[in-house]
Amino acid sequence: MFSLSAITAPFWHIFFEKGADDGLFGFSSTRSFLYTFGTHYILFGLSMFTFWVIGFIPDKNLSVKRLSYMINILFCSVALYYLFYVFIDSNSPYPDYVYEIANITCSLFISFLIFKLFNNYRIKRLQEKKEADEFVENAFSFINEVNKSLIQ
């Protein structure tokens, strides 16, 4: 579902009337807001997909995997920065640098949390695979022992 929404996000603005002046979050129209949001949302969706794909890199290529994760954390942070930036109203009571610092901090923090989430999921998946392999190995050894005892 997330993939479908990320892929279609840049096109959501098509369903709104052109030239309607119903501003949203400081944008002149809902259409312009959705276009801007959609282009940044697809970048965020791509970073989520990349986190998932990096999980399939074998652990023997650990340096490549670590570098890929670091690059993708930065990529995800930039995508989140621009997603958050879309929601900052131009009529804000605080100076711009306050929003910039908060935006950068939140983007990096959330990107790191997403990385930990994907990494914990990958570790859990590897543990489940290891347990399943051990179960199958034990089952085959039990079957072999039963066969040996029946033959004797």
Side-chain angles (χ1 to χ4, degrees), residues 109-126:
F109 180 71
I110 291 173
S111 295
F112 184 73
L113 286 178
I114 291 170
F115 158 72
K116 292 301 274 180
L117 235 160
F118 274 95
N119 200 32
N120 288 343
Y121 171 75
R122 182 184 67 83
I123 290 169
K124 185 177 179 183
R125 193 182 73 218
L126 288 173

Side-chain angles (χ1 to χ4, degrees), residues 41-103:
Y41 186 62
I42 197 166
L43 292 175
F44 178 68
L46 284 171
S47 70
M48 295 296 98
F49 177 73
T50 307
F51 272 127
W52 180 68
V53 168
I54 291 171
F56 291 105
I57 296 174
D59 285 338
K60 64 181 179 181
N61 298 332
L62 197 56
S63 59
V64 172
K65 194 172 207 170
R66 285 183 181 160
L67 180 64
S68 299
Y69 272 130
M70 288 191 318
I71 290 170
N72 200 49
I73 287 172
L74 291 175
F75 180 64
C76 184
S77 297
V78 170
L80 283 170
Y81 172 85
Y82 283 109
L83 269 178
F84 294 154
Y85 193 77
V86 169
F87 293 102
I88 296 176
D89 194 354
S90 58
N91 299 324
S92 58
Y94 301 106
D96 287 344
Y97 72 88
V98 172
Y99 289 107
E100 294 293 329
I101 292 170
N103 206 355

